[in-house]
Amino acid sequence: MTSLDRRLRELRGSRRALVPYFVGGLTKDWSQYVHGAILAGADAVEVGVPFSDPMMDGPVIQEGALRALRAGATLESICHEVASSAFDAPIVIMTYYNVLHHFGLARAAELLATSGISGVIVPDLALEESDAWRDVATPLDVATVLMVAPSTPLARVRRIGAASQGFVYAAARMAVTGRASDVGDAERVVSAIRSTTDLATYVGIGITTPEQARDAAQFSDGVIVGSAIVQQILNGADTTAIEAQIASFRRALD
Amino acid sequence: MTQRPIYMGPPDDGGHFGSFGGRFVPEALMPACLELDDAFRDAWRDPAFVSEYRETLHEFGGRPTPITYLGRLSQHLGIEIYAKREDLAHTGSHKINNVVGQALLTKRMGKRRVIAETGAGQHGVATATAAARLGLDCTVYMGEVDTVRQALNVFRMELLGATVVPVTSGSRTLKDAVNEALREWVTCVDDTHYCIGSVMGPHPFPWMVREFQSIIGTEAAQQLRERGVGTPDFVVACVGGGSNAAGVFAGFANSDAALVGVEAAGGSAVGLGSPGVLHGMRSLLLQDDSGQIEEASSISAGLDYPGIGPEHAHLAELGRARYVRAGDDVVIAALQLLSELEGIIPALESAHAVAWLCAVAGTEVPLGSTVLLNLSGRGDKDVAQVRSILRGES
């Protein structure tokens, strides 16, 4: 069991988790957004490491990734920023497999661990291909969070639930990241996951408003909010505005 | 007694060719990839399916395509060149072999719609054609830049009843069209099949597309036998993703023929790339120091792809096939030469294979060698571009 597993299990006793997503390197002061989010009630933060071909992301996060790449963001620069920021909440990196693969799996795991990063979400790393990465990450206490989709049959949910670390990412809908008007199939997906594992289960993909977050929190352990926040930053929102947005999600969950 | 290895057999259960291939897709798409794997294995064992595939390619696709001895070019270069005439297949290239197979499989799986990516439009036109023939809905994703460069092919697809969606993300070219098709597939995987156009993507696509294209090599081997030529010394094909090369190589992988894939100099994944993961596969890719994918650049849109099919990466690693490069300048000259000497205007893609032969006849390809040249497509689509290049307009 990784430290992230334990931390998020403990949290379950007190409140629903709020996990906002920020694109690493999107702005010069991106780590200030993360500090602000934690102050406003985020329980863990997903930090995106941009990739040129983000096949699981919709237009908002694609745009964020493109801007961050143009500004020179890399796995190393983002990890160094995390390491020097000493955030007061677990940080989970969200990136695509080629970024880790190209850096070298063992070297990447080492970099994440020494930067104080608790886990990773790698949406294009399917369970069947994940052994090589987990073999180097797990011993360094870097959790590999796996995703369950509405299309995942129960037998696969069981295998994913058994292999996931930290939490299980419940994809609310058959879609890439982006804004949506409801919580989709999330309840069915969460219930399938819960029948197979007692890991914390967080709902993401399309959580856009505090009302949707409240809906999802009725049947899950927490929510992941990405595009709705990144859109505000792309529009030029400052840290105060983002803190206010995070606080409104916090209030909806409590 | 030492046993010769068997080349170009099926991949392992996870779709690996050595260390390449595999399935690197979001969980939402994994069930569809697993379902497709089962459906293809089942269909490819079913004589009724195989016979319908062959019959459709015969009656509708114009197969078998002939072998043409290129007498004047042979004399010019001092080698014996036989061309496999995929340029004479319906829609003007080998692409029809794959799309007929996948469209029949789509119906067999009970799906009603196909989506596809396209660069120059060849695979998009072929997919729209097969969809029309079999009564499937069809949507094609095409980079916005390419929809402008290849406006006539957009119109062709529309004539065939397909919807063309311009892709405005990323570099707005082929690799972004693949990304967008994958994103779209996540939302409609229940009733839609993603008809990938080359030997790339997650398993089972690289293997399945090679199997549907292997009809090229199987036919060619038989035709050369019947002509008394036997096994050629060289089998040469252009390579972007690598479907025509995989198809023709499959007929000769376990013969003594040397296999040569000719990449575009500006899209040379074997020559200039390194191992990486993109579009669902581990293969050789053009990428920068941080693992960000780089743009390919070639005169020929069909070779404008920063990766290569994983089985080619494996064949290169094993040394069973060799991958070489041809630059834009020599490709135009080769296109002119084949047109003037043989009365065949090749596609710019196929002209890469001709250009390599012109460069190495008498050296790497010794005088008197017998060569099977896969002419993967015809040049009608390229004449406007070639005209403007020869007139110095671009």
Side-chain angles (χ1 to χ4, degrees):
Chain A
M1 192 184 289
T2 66
S3 305
L4 187 64
D5 294 48
R6 275 190 293 277
R7 173 126 183 191
L8 299 180
R9 272 170 213 260
E10 282 165 23
L11 180 69
R12 187 151 50 176
S14 54
R15 63 179 185 179
R16 297 289 186 245
L18 173 59
V19 185
Y21 169 96
F22 296 90
V23 178
L26 175 55
T27 59
K28 261 202 169 66
D29 59 347
W30 68 270
S31 59
Q32 294 308 313
Y33 288 108
V34 179
H35 279 301
I38 295 167
L39 280 175
D43 299 292
V45 176
E46 245 190 79
V47 173
V49 174
F51 178 51
S52 53
D53 294 77
M55 73 154 117
M56 190 59 199
D57 285 308
V60 172
I61 293 178
Q62 283 176 45
E63 174 66 21
L66 194 67
R67 285 201 206 172
L69 283 174
R70 284 197 188 127
T74 64
L75 179 65
E76 277 181 298
S77 71
I78 290 168
C79 286
H80 291 161
E81 184 74 19
V82 171
S84 62
S85 297
F87 295 123
D88 197 19
I91 301 295
V92 176
I93 291 287
M94 192 294 199
T95 193
Y96 288 82
Y97 194 45
N98 199 50
V99 172
L100 304 174
H101 183 276
H102 190 81
F103 198 78
L105 298 184
R107 201 175 147 229
E110 185 73 35
L111 174 63
L112 298 183
T114 55
S115 304
I117 287 159
S118 302
V120 294
I121 302 169
V122 189
D124 61 342
L125 185 60
L127 173 67
E128 284 80 353
E129 295 285 355
S130 66
D131 283 352
W133 165 253
R134 288 188 293 138
D135 285 350
V136 295
T138 308
L140 297 176
D141 201 31
V142 175
T144 302
V145 176
L146 298 177
M147 199 179 272
V148 170
S151 59
T152 310
L154 194 59
R156 263 186 87 73
V157 176
R158 195 166 292 122
R159 292 169 51 216
I160 293 170
S164 192
Q165 298 166 319
F167 62 95
V168 183
Y169 193 131
R173 60 191 63 246
M174 292 297 287
V176 296
T177 61
R179 289 175 295 173
S181 54
D182 58 42
V183 298
D185 298 321
E187 187 163 8
R188 180 173 63 78
V189 176
V190 170
S191 127
I193 295 168
R194 284 195 163 162
S195 73
T196 69
T197 177
D198 65 348
L199 274 181
T201 300
Y202 298 164
V203 174
I205 311 291
I207 300 295
T208 308
T209 65
E211 292 68 36
Q212 288 164 18
R214 183 186 299 129
D215 289 349
Q218 304 292 320
F219 52 77
S220 71
D221 300 309
V223 296
I224 299 160
V225 185
S227 297
I229 295 167
V230 175
Q231 180 70 68
Q232 296 305 314
I233 298 176
L234 290 175
N235 292 347
D238 61 14
T239 48
T240 314
I242 295 300
E243 277 184 52
Q245 188 185 18
I246 303 284
S248 69
F249 277 97
R250 182 73 265 164
R251 282 193 300 275
L253 291 178
D254 292 340
Chain B
M1 198 174 113
T2 57
Q3 277 207 320
R4 284 173 69 142
I6 303 290
Y7 293 105
M8 297 189 83
D12 73 13
D13 286 347
H16 301 96
F17 301 94
S19 68
F20 298 106
R23 262 182 300 235
F24 296 88
V25 291
E27 173 55 25
L29 293 178
M30 273 303 287
C33 289
L34 293 166
E35 177 202 6
L36 182 62
D37 189 10
D38 288 343
F40 173 66
R41 280 174 202 276
D42 184 63
W44 211 224
R45 275 194 302 257
D46 177 357
F49 179 85
V50 173
S51 138
E52 190 180 11
Y53 159 77
R54 290 204 181 126
E55 186 51 37
T56 307
L57 283 178
H58 172 62
E59 184 189 352
F60 178 66
R63 301 206 75 87
T65 58
I67 290 265
T68 303
Y69 175 59
L70 304 183
R72 297 185 69 206
L73 184 65
S74 293
Q75 194 176 21
H76 182 74
L77 296 176
I79 55 180
E80 299 290 303
I81 308 172
Y82 294 83
K84 179 61 172 165
R85 300 293 306 281
E86 294 303 296
D87 59 316
L88 294 178
H90 185 36
T91 71
S93 81
H94 69 291
K95 293 289 187 192
I96 194 77
N97 306 329
N98 171 38
V99 296
V100 162
Q102 290 200 49
L104 288 170
L105 194 58
T106 302
K107 293 202 82 160
R108 187 180 166 103
M109 289 188 294
K111 297 189 174 188
R112 57 161 198 92
R113 174 172 176 256
V114 287
I115 56 174
E117 83 293 343
T118 198
Q122 291 302 101
H123 174 59
V125 169
T127 306
T129 299
R133 170 78 183 176
L134 293 171
L136 298 164
D137 289 345
C138 177
T139 302
V140 178
Y141 292 83
M142 188 171 186
E144 191 181 42
V145 171
D146 292 328
T147 61
V148 175
R149 288 199 288 215
Q150 298 285 344
L152 265 183
N153 269 341
V154 174
F155 183 62
R156 278 194 186 96
M157 289 183 260
E158 287 168 353
L159 273 181
L160 291 159
T163 304
V164 179
V165 178
V167 173
T168 55
S169 59
S171 61
R172 294 175 293 146
T173 58
L174 177 58
K175 86 177 168 74
D176 307 285
V178 176
N179 290 333
E180 207 54 39
L182 285 165
R183 290 178 189 125
E184 169 65 17
W185 199 29
V186 172
T187 70
C188 59
V189 69
D190 275 350
D191 70 349
T192 299
H193 173 66
Y194 178 16
C195 183
I196 290 186
S198 192
V199 285
M200 46 164 280
H203 177 64
F205 285 102
W207 171 52
M208 176 176 73
V209 175
R210 180 252 279 174
E211 288 294 287
F212 286 142
Q213 291 294 1
S214 66
I215 195 166
I216 303 172
T218 309
E219 275 180 16
Q222 189 187 341
Q223 288 165 320
L224 289 176
R225 253 194 321 274
E226 284 167 5
R227 293 177 78 123
V229 175
T231 302
D233 298 314
F234 292 86
V235 176
V236 183
C238 66
V239 179
S243 68
N244 89 83
V248 74
F249 287 178
F252 299 90
N254 296 297
S255 77
D256 290 330
L259 309 178
V260 181
V262 186
E263 297 187 287
S268 173
V270 176
L272 304 171
S274 56
V277 174
L278 176 70
H279 295 154
M281 62 184 175
R282 183 176 188 275
S283 191
L284 295 170
L285 308 172
L286 299 179
Q287 51 189 327
D288 71 11
D289 291 344
S290 306
Q292 307 299 338
I293 305 306
E294 294 187 317
E295 312 281 319
S297 99
S298 165
I299 192 172
S300 120
L303 304 185
D304 229 343
Y305 182 68
I308 188 170
E311 189 171 23
H312 287 295
H314 183 51
L315 289 170
E317 188 173 66
L318 293 174
R320 177 62 191 97
R322 204 153 69 83
Y323 296 84
V324 297
R325 283 176 260 171
D328 290 352
D329 48 341
V330 293
V331 166
I332 291 285
L335 179 142
Q336 289 178 283
L337 189 69
L338 191 69
S339 303
E340 289 167 15
L341 290 184
E342 297 291 348
I344 299 170
I345 302 175
L348 280 170
E349 291 80 8
S350 321
H352 283 70
V354 180
W356 181 74
L357 280 177
C358 292
V360 300
T363 58
E364 286 176 61
V365 175
L367 294 178
S369 302
T370 309
V371 174
L372 174 66
L373 165 69
N374 200 33
L375 268 186
S376 55
R378 58 176 171 250
D380 302 38
K381 68 182 175 60
D382 299 319
V383 289
Q385 187 188 352
V386 172
R387 180 178 62 177
S388 64
I389 290 168
L390 290 175
R391 288 180 176 175
E393 294 165 3
S394 69

